[in-house]
Amino acid sequence: MQLLYFGFFSVAYILTVTGNVLIACAVLLDRRLHTPMYILLGNFSLLEICYVSTTVPNMLANLLSTSKSISFLSCFAQFYFFFSFGYDECFFLCTMAFDRYLAICRPLHYPRIMTKQLYTGLVISGWSFGFFLYIAPVLRISRLPYCGPNIIDHFVCDPVPLMMLSCSEDPATQLLYSTLNIIFINGTFLFVLCSYALVILAVLKMPSTASKHKAFSTCASHLTVVMLFYGPVIMMYVSPGSGHPEKMQKLITLFYSVVTPLFNPLIYSLRNKEMKAALRKIFIAEQSVHKI
């Protein structure tokens, strides 16, 4: 069974990385995609590669290993980078929702507001935001007294199983961790929902059916990704009954850390004409090089 899992998750990881690399390359190479929406999408794709690479390679190695061990430092490094990249994804999803809101609800003011300086600052903030925000929880959880069992019943160094291994409870650390998750995850999710509620209202007022279809098509991809990402994350870290059984925790984590990143490139490329045209152009160029 472990070899079967290894094969399945290896294919999923390769497809995820390949799909996101293609989207990033399409945005980089096609000048028609040098707009804020696609620049944000290209950075989001690169972020997805970093996000899955913090956990999946180690999980694949464990499936082939008999010891399945990880050092204390490596465990907390994985914990820090996994959640930092996850928080960065939340920030980018908010930024992309804000960009769609400006483009559809404030089209005349869009060039004046979404300047190169602004979206460059948003990209830099998106990459660095999670790393600053998640330093405190990681440091506090790493300083808990660990003197008992050293077996984590999980395939990643998740904070809940880690805190369960501690010899003594620390209510302040648990409160900090829970409060940060509830405020940030719920806050960014509500921001995205409010942005798209305003977008939908603006689209419904459009006189042209073709304009409505194009606007809905563009926003549907983003909303699908948002639901796939936030659904299991909220269920795992924000819901009141977050004390899920161990098997349920693994399945939920597996979904948002492996399955969702696999679907994201397909969702964005298959539902977007400009992206499909850019990818087709890359493949044609590659075939021409091979022929030469």
Side-chain angles (χ1 to χ4, degrees):
M1 288 301 295
Q2 291 193 22
L3 289 176
L4 182 65
Y5 292 148
F6 177 82
F8 175 78
F9 292 123
S10 295
V11 172
Y13 180 66
I14 292 170
L15 290 176
T16 301
V17 173
T18 303
N20 283 293
V21 165
L22 285 174
I23 288 178
C25 288
V27 173
L28 180 65
L29 299 175
D30 196 326
R31 297 188 64 85
R32 293 173 299 176
L33 301 184
H34 290 182
T35 62
M37 181 180 81
Y38 290 108
I39 289 171
L40 291 171
L41 175 58
N43 279 274
F44 184 76
S45 296
L46 293 175
L47 184 60
E48 286 276 62
I49 297 171
C50 299
Y51 179 66
V52 296
S53 298
T54 57
T55 57
V56 177
N58 182 258
M59 179 180 69
L60 294 175
N62 283 337
L63 288 171
L64 297 180
S65 173
T66 54
S67 63
K68 297 176 175 39
S69 62
I70 186 169
S71 68
F72 184 87
L73 183 61
S74 298
C75 182
F76 276 90
Q78 184 192 69
F79 168 30
Y80 173 63
F81 283 107
F82 181 58
F83 276 83
S84 295
F85 284 130
Y87 269 44
D88 286 344
E89 286 206 5
C90 293
F91 186 89
F92 264 102
L93 289 172
C94 281
T95 306
M96 293 161 77
F98 175 65
D99 176 73
R100 289 302 83 206
Y101 163 77
L102 287 179
I104 295 173
C105 299
R106 298 286 185 272
L108 298 178
H109 300 283
Y110 183 80
R112 180 174 58 83
I113 299 174
M114 189 57 73
T115 60
K116 185 176 181 180
Q117 290 78 12
L118 178 60
Y119 69 72
T120 301
L122 290 172
V123 168
I124 294 172
S125 300
W127 277 99
S128 56
F129 185 78
F131 289 95
F132 291 108
L133 193 64
Y134 224 77
I135 289 176
V138 171
L139 288 177
R140 289 192 67 95
I141 294 174
S142 67
R143 290 173 180 173
L144 293 175
Y146 294 100
C147 52
N150 60 350
I151 297 173
I152 305 171
D153 190 9
H154 214 300
F155 63 90
V156 298
C157 286
D158 196 71
V160 175
L162 282 172
M163 286 189 284
M164 290 175 63
L165 293 181
S166 176
C167 303
S168 61
E169 291 188 3
D170 187 350
T173 299
Q174 293 176 0
L175 179 64
L176 173 65
Y177 164 75
S178 301
T179 304
L180 188 62
N181 283 338
I182 290 171
I183 292 175
F184 184 76
I185 295 174
N186 278 343
T188 54
F189 184 56
L190 287 174
F191 180 88
V192 173
L193 289 183
C194 291
S195 298
Y196 276 99
L198 295 172
V199 166
I200 291 171
L201 290 175
V203 170
L204 291 175
K205 294 177 182 178
M206 290 180 178
S208 171
T209 306
S211 299
K212 286 182 181 180
H213 178 74
K214 184 177 180 180
F216 273 126
S217 179
T218 303
C219 298
S221 302
H222 188 197
L223 272 176
T224 304
V225 171
V226 166
M227 293 304 174
L228 283 174
F229 179 77
Y230 274 102
V233 167
I234 290 174
M235 189 186 304
M236 184 74 176
Y237 299 108
V238 179
S239 62
S242 57
H244 302 293
E246 284 78 5
K247 288 185 178 180
M248 182 61 70
Q249 289 182 18
K250 294 175 189 175
L251 286 173
I252 296 172
T253 306
L254 198 64
F255 188 86
Y256 71 76
S257 63
V258 179
V259 178
T260 299
L262 174 63
F263 287 146
N264 287 352
L266 295 174
I267 293 168
Y268 278 119
S269 59
L270 293 178
R271 295 188 59 90
N272 191 295
K273 291 181 180 179
E274 289 84 0
M275 184 58 67
K276 284 192 287 187
L279 291 173
R280 197 178 299 114
K281 189 176 177 181
I282 290 175
F283 286 123
I284 292 172
E286 185 180 351
Q287 289 176 358
S288 301
V289 170
H290 285 309
K291 286 180 182 178
I292 292 171

